[in-house]
Each structure stands twice: as structure tokens, then as C-alpha cells.
């Protein structure tokens, strides 16, 4: 979402900059950036709209591509508004910090000889 907004605003500012300069070729950098933004805005906004539609339906990309719930109702959807709220305002999941700890001396006897 932020990338789409950033590209649209950059495109608008570059077009404004190119429109206010008398000879267009005197500010070639703004013209090049405007062309790049124009070429990239459509795929990025297209992906954004596709994923917003997936959030509205409560599906993942894999479920959409494989048509997992095409013949029946999706049991995981909570409605459009609650899907968005769940996506953006749910608490962060717990992280597994420190799961690769050091081997204690008591358990080193049970390891194979090449790992001791």
C-alpha cells in the first residue's frame, strides 16, 4: 500500500516539475523518473488491488490460485471489515527466540562422537 502511494506521489511531483520547466529537456532527471514511475505504477497497483480483494474474501494467495474454496463457503472468513481489522490490528505472533541454545555438558554424552 505504501509503495503504491509513494509511486503515485512521485509520479505526480515529477509531472508537476516537468510541467513547470520551460524547456522540457532541461530537467531530464524528472522526466526519466516520471517515465519509470508511470511504467511501474500499473503492476504495483494491480497487485495491491488483488491482495486487497483477497483480504476482503479472507483467502491466501495459495487458496485463491488452487481454488480451494471455489465450490463452498470459506470457513475462515469473518466478513470484509473483520478480515481487514484482523489483518492490520491483530497482535504480533510470538517469536521463537533462543531455540538454538548451547548443548549442556550433561547432554553431550548422548551426542554422536563427531558432534562433541
Amino acid at each position: 500500500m505504501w509503495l503504491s502511494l509513494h509511486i503515485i506521489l512521485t509520479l505526480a511531483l515529477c509531472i508537476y516539475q516537468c510541467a513547470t520547466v520551460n524547456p522540457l529537456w532541461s530537467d531530464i532527471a524528472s522526466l526519466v523518473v516520471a517515465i519509470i514511475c508511470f511504467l511501474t505504477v500499473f503492476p504495483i497497483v494491480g497487485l495491491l488491488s488483488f491482495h486487497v480483494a483477497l483480504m476482503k474474501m479472507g483467502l491466501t494467495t495459495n487458496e485463491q490460485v488452487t481454488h480451494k474454496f471455489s465450490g463452498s463457503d470459506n470457513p475462515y472468513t469473518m466478513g470484509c471489515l473483520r478480515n481487514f481489522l484482523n489483518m492490520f490490528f491483530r497482535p504480533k505472533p510470538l517469536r521463537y527466540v533462543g531455540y538454538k541454545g548451547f548443548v549442556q555438558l550433561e547432554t553431550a554424552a548422548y551426542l554422536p562422537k563427531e558432534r562433541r
Side-chain angles (χ1 to χ4, degrees):
M1 181 170 83
W2 297 113
L3 180 63
S4 301
L5 182 64
H6 175 73
I7 288 178
I8 291 170
L9 289 176
T10 304
L11 178 64
L13 288 174
C14 288
I15 289 173
Y16 175 76
Q17 177 68 24
C18 290
T20 57
V21 175
N22 273 342
L24 187 60
W25 56 87
S26 65
D27 194 12
I28 195 74
S30 293
L31 185 63
V32 169
V33 171
I35 290 170
I36 291 171
C37 287
F38 181 76
L39 292 175
T40 59
V41 74
F42 296 110
I44 291 174
V45 171
L47 277 174
L48 174 71
S49 62
F50 173 71
H51 284 94
V52 166
L54 286 180
M55 278 193 293
K56 179 183 74 99
M57 294 183 287
L59 294 173
T60 63
T61 308
N62 186 30
E63 291 169 348
Q64 174 68 20
V65 171
T66 59
H67 303 290
K68 188 168 187 170
F69 299 112
S70 61
S72 61
D73 290 334
N74 183 359
Y76 302 109
T77 187
M78 298 178 283
C80 184
L81 180 63
R82 290 188 62 202
N83 284 342
F84 279 110
L85 292 175
N86 186 29
M87 187 67 179
F88 292 112
F89 298 109
R90 68 178 173 205
K92 289 185 179 181
L94 296 175
R95 294 181 55 185
Y96 297 107
V97 178
Y99 67 95
K100 290 185 179 179
F102 293 105
V103 177
Q104 301 296 325
L105 252 73
E106 295 84 28
T107 59
Y110 300 109
L111 293 176
K113 290 182 180 178
E114 61 269 1
R115 291 196 57 201
R116 282 191 214 167

